Amino acid sequence: MAKAIVEETKADSSDSSNSSREKLIRSAEGLFAERGFDGVSVRDIASAAGVNSALVGYYFGGKEGLLSEVYTRHCEPLNRERERLLTKFAASDDGLTLERVIEAFVKPSLAVSTDKSGRTGFTRLRAILSAENSALLEQLVAENFDASSRRFILELRKCLPDLNRDEVFWRFHFLLGTIYYTGAGPHRIRALSGGRCDPSDPKAATKHLVPFLAAGFRAPVAGNARGRGANSGMK
């Protein structure tokens, strides 16, 4: 077994784009998005990739490590693009307006390639992992997005000085839900509008979503929520 792994990894070095490691990542992403984490075995992934199942442990330390690699591969470029846009907008004449902060966060999430249903494989993957109520997903989200989310929440608070911290958290939560459903369920509004409204079109979705979300962030605080948590937490 060990000899077979050594021989297979040696063969990989000549073509990294088609290496056993890359094959495993591509196969795992498709299978996880289709069946969820619990519904896929190491053997299933290796069989789909056409490689030795022991390579999952060799390259990733197991199935959880493989999922982490799949997830992080999508998150890293997303976070980089968000940071790039934030820096670009900050250097503009208008600076970081509320709309610009929202655009920097939203646009990279929508600007992804889609399948025939208008959803990305990564969107499907996140949806099915969420349905499993996976503690592993919570860990991956925290590891990959917490730092970026805190940065954007800070910028949102600068744009909305009259809102307390908790109110901004609530509205950021609704922003995340809006982005998620826009990516995961574009077919509904597309059908209702006869195809005129297509959330899988990143440019169109961003154009309509940014002002909608900005209006939500600027909306009056309901009831007496303004007074709760105003003097606590992040400054």
Side-chain angles (χ1 to χ4, degrees):
M1 178 70 74
K3 183 178 180 181
I5 294 175
V6 171
E7 292 300 320
E8 197 159 346
T9 54
K10 281 182 179 179
D12 285 347
S13 61
S14 61
D15 184 4
S16 59
S17 66
N18 199 38
S19 67
S20 297
R21 189 177 192 277
E22 293 300 316
K23 288 177 181 177
L24 285 168
I25 291 170
R26 290 195 297 267
S27 297
E29 179 168 353
L31 289 172
F32 287 147
E34 179 184 344
R35 306 181 200 169
F37 181 76
D38 293 333
V40 178
S41 68
V42 168
R43 188 179 297 275
D44 291 334
I45 297 167
S47 177
V51 302
N52 192 315
S53 61
L55 290 174
V56 174
Y58 177 82
Y59 284 122
F60 309 103
K63 192 171 72 165
E64 288 192 3
L66 179 50
L67 176 60
S68 179
E69 176 66 23
V70 169
Y71 199 88
T72 301
R73 281 201 170 197
H74 287 279
C75 297
E76 288 181 345
L78 175 60
N79 285 330
R80 283 197 302 269
E81 181 61 8
R82 283 174 171 168
E83 185 64 30
R84 186 191 73 80
L85 288 175
L86 205 60
T87 301
K88 174 186 174 183
F89 294 152
S92 67
D93 292 339
D94 293 335
L96 283 176
T97 63
L98 177 60
E99 282 78 6
R100 287 301 203 183
V101 174
I102 293 172
E103 182 180 349
F105 191 86
V106 168
K107 191 174 182 179
S109 298
L110 302 177
V112 291
S113 60
T114 57
D115 61 17
K116 292 180 181 179
S117 69
R119 299 180 302 177
T120 68
F122 187 50
T123 299
R124 292 198 308 273
L125 174 62
R126 293 186 69 180
I128 197 165
L129 290 176
S130 295
E132 290 181 339
N133 195 26
S134 168
L136 178 58
L137 175 63
E138 292 297 321
Q139 177 186 333
L140 291 173
V141 170
E143 290 173 353
N144 287 281
F145 288 122
D146 274 8
S148 175
S149 293
R150 288 192 181 99
R151 168 77 193 279
F152 275 88
I153 288 169
L154 180 61
E155 296 300 337
L156 289 168
R157 294 191 70 209
K158 290 178 182 178
C159 295
L160 300 160
D162 292 335
L163 293 183
N164 66 57
R165 178 199 64 170
D166 290 350
E167 192 66 33
V168 174
F169 276 134
W170 272 113
R171 298 181 189 206
F172 184 74
H173 169 74
F174 298 136
L175 173 151
L176 293 176
T178 305
I179 295 173
Y180 183 76
Y181 186 74
T182 298
H187 49 281
R188 180 61 176 155
I189 189 63
R190 196 164 52 213
L192 285 172
S193 67
R196 295 187 305 278
C197 303
D198 186 2
S200 66
D201 177 348
K203 186 175 180 180
T206 302
K207 176 184 175 182
H208 291 281
L209 192 53
V210 169
F212 173 82
L213 290 169
F217 271 100
R218 290 194 177 102
V221 177
N224 62 354
R226 184 186 295 274
R228 294 198 294 268
N231 298 317
S232 63
M234 187 169 60
K235 299 294 185 181

